[in-house]
Amino acid sequence: MAEPAYTVTSDSETNGEEKSSSAFPETAIGIDIGTSQCSIAVWNGSQVELLKNTRNQKIMRSYVTFKDETPSGGVSNQLSHEHEIFSGAAIFNMKRLIGRVDTDPVVHASKSLPFLVQTLDIGVRPFIAALVNNVWRSTTPEEVLAIFLVELRAMAEVRLKRPIRNVVLTLPVSFSRFQLTRIERCCAMAGLHVLRLMPEPTAVALLYAQQQQQTVHENMGSGSEQIALIFNMGAGYCDVAVTATAGGVSQIKSLSGSAIGGEDILQNMMRHLLPNSESLFLKHGISEIKSMALLRVAAQDAIHKLSSQPSVQVDVDLGNGSKICKVVDREEFEEVNQKVFEKCESLIIQCMQDAKVEAEDLSDVILVGGCSYIPKIRNLVMGICKTQDISMGMNPLEAAVCGAALEGAVASGISDPFGNLDLLTIQATPMSIGIQADGKTFVPIIQRNTTIPARKELVFTTVHDNQTEALIVVYEGDEKKLEENNLLGYFKIGIPPAPKGIPEINVCMDIDASNVLRVLAGVIMPGTPHPVTPLMEVRMPTIDDGHGWCAEALHRAYGSTRDLVTVQKKI
Amino acid sequence: MAISVASIYQLSVPKPLQTRTHFYQNKPISRWRQKCTVIRCSNSTAGERARREKNYYELLGVSVDSSSQKIKEAYRKLQKKYHPDIAGHKGHEYTLLLNEAYQVLMKQDLRREYDASIGHLRVGFGENTTSLVGYSTWNGPLRPQALFVDENACIGCRECVHHSSNTFTMDDALGCARVKVQYGDDDQKIQVSVDSCPVNCIHWVDREELAVLEFLIRPKPKEGFGVFGGGWERPANVFMEAQSFTKQMKQEAELHHRNARATVEEETPAQAEARASASMKLQMEGFSRIWNWVKEASGSWKEP
């Protein structure tokens, strides 16, 4: 179907250059790549419009099927049956796998998916493969996502009749900077330029700011500040944000997030229906995959039904002689997923504490994402926020992509005569960033929830006499233990010989509005006002795949010979 | 948080240099401070530096006594203009400053420290941050009245410390009581303390006067002549001294305002906008030393 309008790449690229040099800037499109579903939206000059695929779907399944020579994704592919996704030939849940090492528990949880996820547990990229004609064909999460993005791009180009280059992507709050670089790489592979990567709830916050402003315009009221809590839970991730909004400006006060979502709920449900399911599915034989697909679909159906009815009858023949015939009620469902719900609660509480707001301060509570249909989730959010009324002015599945499209228009410099784009999100860093110092401890330089752009510096000094080098190891996270944070990179800086404690090593971190992190380091010696050696400027992250064991290897190789300690402020 | 304090410190250091040098002539200057000053002085004259030194209130275009609400509004308005999402990458440096200013002015304690460091009369005066350590802090929101112990009159009976130990503290070196936390105890306990003072040396003063009083009551090194004189002294009547000090400061401030520009308070929104645009164009004095070096390295640096 899509063939006629699919122009040759080189053609569309030259068109793109002509266009960007013209007076009209290209409007960046917004893409929400979800763990299970995906959508794409654009500012069409007067409002946000979701783009539909050839089958008239606004929301598409995120997966890529490997068949014969050409893989095909969920954008254009017509599934003969839901089970086809679960046949082992399709790779899905890429978002849960991308940029993660094989020691990550999220990767381990993915081992019971129908396609093959192999781990060596040494901190390298996991091996994933799809079943093609009874052969496990290897691929990578990045490749799969890139294939999917190429399809999305082609579809958008057909719909908009122009080449697409700039995109705004929404991502989970808990994504590490390394994962963000993987996403950027996927986009580059698909010929897309990432204008902004925004945490999903902040995209929702932008949409909220727009809606807020429109109602203010209608009522001619004052643009007083509204504090909103945004809870977004999809198939793979759960994110919370607290935002203060006034006059179209949404200021993110705090963010929290974790890799829990519908997938965990689904796996818990599958385990509940068939207690030994995991060990069975790890075998990845043809018949096991088939029964796994049947169980997965049954569990999914049951969860969906439990959102509207108090109990559900599960009847499924797994084909290998075992049959499941069970009535599951809501209490049971909530019982088996108790841990997931507890985690959600703790994320909300943490986010509110970080923002220093109480339940009474919240003017709105916004619930979005696929999991927002689950009654227990709604109840727990309402409970913590002490409200009975959850804002339903947004489509839970479309809010994030609409926000991304708005950001795309704002960041592309589009203006709207009616003031509908008179918007801004002031972002905050979801995780602290710091370096290793004071023995093996994590010393944050930029604290979490700092407004970006941000720039902070801290002074360190040497721990040994005549220490000629310092090793600066940059981490991101909020864990007490150094090694539980994400390693971003490392570099050495040379120091002239001096007794310990004398050289001053300034480490400065700068995050710009597109969330690019630069780390600068310079050494000054007493008596000289200027750095003695050229400064180091390093764009982070610098690490590559297989970084899981980097920190350990560094420590083995260097011990504490190149350590630093923080300098107490001399006041 | 140590980090934010550090950056305020850097920003505020050179400010009081020209006008109020006489207050701390004899004070030892820390190594850090010296270095900072050297760096800043080296590529501009004192006058230029004063102009380039960003005052957070000026940056946001608000008056020094603005409410948090006002500051918030001004911040958002400026962000909407200069945020890199809107203004492109050239808005980066400016937005960094805005964020810094906002962070400081929205936090009551940081704002108080900052006010003190820029020599603002409302709560502060020209002094380096060193002498601010040990000053009374506030428990809860600022109130119009504050507690002040006239240490000259105090006989060191410890009665007040006994009744409100969270508010008063004993300076054992000087043998007198002092307020460490304003309203550190509940009102009733504080009242008991005030009433129990045998020499009535605990005074309720206006909040605006507090910083000046607390500054003046501290013993100052006496100016010595050769081997004569020296030692420490404090004014015999701190209230009288405070009055004349405030008057002097006001005059200086007025002079300063008249010379430099119209006062911030009188600025109309249009003027504020024009100034904001102009200051955007001014070379931004980054608040990071490293950043200054980078800039110096990239060409704008000239040997003095």
Side-chain angles (χ1 to χ4, degrees), chain A residues 75-126:
Chain A
V75 179
S76 55
N77 192 30
Q78 176 82 52
L79 283 175
S80 55
H81 193 271
E82 176 83 3
H83 292 164
E84 205 180 297
I85 300 185
F86 306 130
S87 65
I91 308 277
F92 55 94
N93 280 11
M94 301 77 102
K95 209 165 129 192
R96 294 258 277 190
L97 291 166
I98 205 156
R100 287 188 191 272
V101 290
D102 64 356
T103 44
D104 196 314
V106 178
V107 173
H108 280 256
S110 304
K111 279 161 87 174
S112 62
L113 295 176
F115 57 92
L116 192 63
V117 178
Q118 268 185 8
T119 60
L120 294 170
D121 300 319
I122 54 168
V124 292
R125 188 163 68 180

Side-chain angles (χ1 to χ4, degrees), chain B residues 128-160:
Chain B
N128 67 40
T129 11
T130 327
S131 67
L132 284 173
V133 180
Y135 267 43
S136 61
T137 50
W138 286 74
N139 176 32
L142 292 179
R143 303 198 210 179
Q145 297 276 300
L147 281 169
F148 173 70
V149 178
D150 183 357
E151 292 172 31
N152 278 331
C154 179
I155 53 169
C157 66
R158 290 176 185 270
E159 202 55 32
C160 52

Side-chain angles (χ1 to χ4, degrees), chain A residues 151-215:
Chain A
E151 281 201 359
L152 272 181
R153 179 186 173 191
M155 174 204 123
E157 286 180 343
V158 169
R159 291 284 149 185
L160 299 174
K161 300 183 182 64
R162 66 171 169 94
I164 304 285
R165 181 144 174 78
N166 291 335
V167 290
V168 171
L169 258 68
T170 60
L171 291 168
V173 168
S174 59
F175 253 35
S176 72
R177 277 176 187 272
F178 176 71
Q179 287 177 296
L180 298 182
T181 64
R182 297 298 98 173
I183 295 287
E184 275 172 350
R185 180 174 287 184
C186 294
C187 288
M189 284 158 85
L192 295 169
H193 171 248
V194 177
L195 194 63
R196 290 278 185 278
L197 290 175
M198 60 190 322
E200 277 154 28
T202 70
V204 179
L206 191 63
L207 181 65
Y208 173 73
Q210 194 208 27
Q211 292 185 347
Q212 208 59 49
Q213 212 182 12
Q214 279 169 350
T215 47

Side-chain angles (χ1 to χ4, degrees), chain B residues 207-220:
Chain B
R207 188 179 75 215
E208 288 75 16
E209 290 171 10
L210 182 70
V212 173
L213 287 168
E214 286 189 340
F215 168 63
L216 290 173
I217 202 70
R218 282 291 185 86
K220 301 278 169 315

Side-chain angles (χ1 to χ4, degrees), chain A residues 147-349:
Chain A
I147 293 168
F148 189 72
L149 284 168
V150 166
E151 281 201 359
L152 272 181
R153 179 186 173 191
M155 174 204 123
E157 286 180 343
V158 169
R159 291 284 149 185
L160 299 174
K161 300 183 182 64
R162 66 171 169 94
I164 304 285
R165 181 144 174 78
N166 291 335
V167 290
V168 171
L169 258 68
T170 60
L171 291 168
V173 168
S174 59
F175 253 35
S176 72
R177 277 176 187 272
F178 176 71
Q179 287 177 296
L180 298 182
T181 64
R182 297 298 98 173
I183 295 287
E184 275 172 350
R185 180 174 287 184
C186 294
C187 288
M189 284 158 85
L192 295 169
H193 171 248
V194 177
L195 194 63
R196 290 278 185 278
L197 290 175
M198 60 190 322
E200 277 154 28
T202 70
V204 179
L206 191 63
L207 181 65
Y208 173 73
Q210 194 208 27
Q211 292 185 347
Q212 208 59 49
Q213 212 182 12
Q214 279 169 350
T215 47
V216 167
H217 279 314
E218 280 159 23
N219 303 341
M220 295 307 284
S222 63
S224 65
E225 185 181 77
Q226 305 269 344
I227 295 179
L229 182 126
I230 296 163
F231 180 89
N232 171 37
M233 189 168 176
Y237 293 87
C238 175
D239 300 319
V240 191
V242 171
T243 169
T245 309
V249 180
S250 139
Q251 231 176 309
I252 306 299
K253 299 193 119 187
S254 63
L255 290 167
S256 64
S258 171
I260 49 156
E263 180 64 33
D264 298 283
I265 294 176
L266 180 62
Q267 286 187 8
N268 289 339
M269 192 68 174
M270 283 163 71
R271 215 172 295 136
H272 180 65
L273 291 174
L274 186 68
N276 66 339
S277 59
E278 253 165 298
S279 56
L280 179 71
F281 297 153
L282 282 179
K283 288 182 196 152
H284 279 97
I286 302 289
S287 66
E288 278 91 3
I289 292 176
K290 216 167 258 168
S291 16
M292 182 177 357
L294 291 164
L295 181 60
R296 218 181 151 83
V297 172
Q300 221 161 356
D301 272 359
I303 294 171
H304 289 170
K305 282 187 185 142
L306 280 174
S307 292
S308 53
Q309 59 198 56
S311 71
V312 64
Q313 167 79 34
V314 182
D315 259 319
V316 58
D317 184 353
L318 296 181
N320 55 355
S322 62
K323 227 176 160 181
I324 295 171
C325 203
K326 211 169 185 176
V327 177
V328 182
D329 61 15
R330 224 178 248 177
E331 279 75 50
E332 267 178 276
F333 168 74
E334 285 165 12
E335 176 84 36
V336 296
N337 287 302
Q338 201 192 349
K339 285 226 168 73
V340 174
F341 297 135
E342 278 170 7
K343 181 70 191 168
C344 294
E345 280 178 331
S346 75
L347 286 175
I348 301 173
I349 291 167

